[in-house]
Amino acid sequence: MKRLALGVLLSTATLSLYAQADSIKIEKVTIEGEKLKEESTYKKELSQEEAKITRQIDLGEILFEFYPEIWYMRKAGIANDLYIRGFSRDNINVLIDGSKIYGACPNRMDPPAFHVSSPQIESITIKEGPFDVENAGSLAAVVNVKTKNPQEGLGGEIGGTYGSWSYRTGYVWGNVGNKFVKVLVGASNQYSKPYESGEGKKVTEYAKYSAGGKPQEYKPQYINDKAFNIDRVWFKTILSPNDNVDITLSYAFENARNVLYPALKMDALYDRTNRLNGDFVMKDIGLKFSIYYNEVKHDMRDTFRTTSNMFPSRGYSMKTYAESKMFGTKLTKDFNFMGFDTTVGIDTYLRNWFADNTQGTNNSIMIPDVDIKDVGLFVKGSKNIDRWTISGGLRYDYNYSKANPNLILRGSNKILITKGLIKNFSNSDNYLSGYIVGKYNFNKKDSVYIGVGHTVRAPDPEERFIALFGMAPWYGNPDLKPTKNTEIDVGGEVFPLNNLGLKANFFYSNLNDYIYLYQYKAKCLNNSNDCTYTTYRNIDAAIYGFDLNGIYAFNDKVSAEIGIAYQEGKKTSKKGIYKDSDLVEIPPLKTRLAVKYDDGSLYALVEGIYSAKQSKVDSDLKEQETGSWFIVNLKAGYTYNKRLFVGVGVDNVFDKFYYNYLSYVRDPFRGISQNGTPVKIPEPGRFLYANVSYRF
Ligand SMILES: [Cu+2]
């Protein structure tokens, strides 16, 4: 056992050594004020992950690999949308340096996590459950992505990845600073051709669908052209006029071009993001003020598809131009109140979303310049009492949303108002959120916890105000109520042996007024044919499940990791309009088993990821069953002199042909074949890649 204890210490050293070359630290936290650092290394390894050797395509794929309860929805070779414990979209809060950011695309081509890339990231903190009051609308989880801070001295890193199907990334960042001023500047490019599935077909070849009564697909010259090409630059400075004050200013720009979305009927010609953040901290009085602004401009068209042949002169038949803007402030003050480490704050944001849609000769405003204003007041605190750590929080929000009716009245959308489908153009909500978590520490390592929380999130601009008239009308429901999640979480971490650690969480989420898609057939508004309408309804639902993670050390170099997660989702009230009680997009059982070798400079890993079949699907939304699959990934890396890192990896070693359970999209812009089957996008086949980075 002595030797093992030593091994534990050695692997701590390894972790920090790896942290010196490019890597991302990922941590899952359960409770505020939890101090993990000085405790057992297994505990650290159970809670923290080091994303070092991965293809680093996007956050969705990186987090999917480490956490069995995290998934992604695939529509393209990149820009996967995160799913956590069966929750997605606005039900989870994805923040970049504490700032909210939203994609512009009404079809979620650019989910929030798309707007930051691996070389920019220092760490990712994931908090599952309704235990966040600092940020508006963290209904089921909050993911905070922290970007790298500039350090004192001179340094930087240059690196890149090369992989199958011309996947290549290159990046460089440099840092200069003293006690008073520190500056970090970076740039990167990420490029790929379309990947191939396990059956050897290009992902673009699966886009076979029907439009205008004819079969449609990619034009032959785009089957193996670019799949994405993304340039990014970023800048951050920290000014410290004295020991007590830090002023942080950062700016990032991202230009994604030619991003192909074979699951949908359009591709993004460009998606441009500007992000600005400012933080002002006065350490002695625990005061922090943050201000941020970000905007995304998104242009998607069917230029690369055969449908565009109908309008050869302008080069597209369908187009959406969309803009999302976000402005926010947060003021917080830390103090001690009756022994509680307490924080109070005011959190505000203004979100604006606009989208203009052209289909054939029809032009209409799809998202009618919707403004959402939110003001939130919160207080949270935590305290250690004997063996207990108690933490709690409370938040009040006022939320006001409004659309511009004149924009809906323009063009063909007018009929949605004149026929009475859209009646209101604004709504306001007031609500309270809060939680309490108690953790009992048996000793420094073993603990159990129980938490109860209630959170609320307001309907997003699309759910309340989208307006799109056509063959398949899609319209918002301004009367939607905010979704309320009342959840109980129970879990713990135990170390029954010195070299064995286990961590488990169970949750039951009771959802009132869960916002859900509603599709129905009725007479079209402008003729006597049948149309399929898509809108939103509030239902009551429940999502529950568990995840389990374990680590076992064979000796000081070799260890095994296991992860299992399972969730179920049910409509608890079908409101007389739904037939199936299964909720849509609930993940099947997923497990991961990995064996790792790590001696401080040489690192190797074999991992298997298994997904069970998903047959609990929502037939109300025509969700399809997905078969089970099992893939194996291999990784190896070598760190030389703490500066040079070389890694190689093979994902999906056996070139399996398989689909993620989220490979269909509930989206109205999804391609549907002439016999009614939706386009599904398989996962990549065998993917070889190599990473090199050098820290200077
Ligand atoms: Cu789009």
Side-chain angles (χ1 to χ4, degrees), residues 105 109 298 300:
C105 181
M109 283 177 173
H298 177 87
M300 63 171 166

Side-chain angles (χ1 to χ4, degrees), residues 62-74:
I62 293 172
L63 298 179
F64 167 85
E65 188 183 318
F66 291 114
Y67 296 98
E69 71 279 22
I70 300 188
W71 286 78
Y72 56 82
M73 176 175 280
R74 176 172 300 283

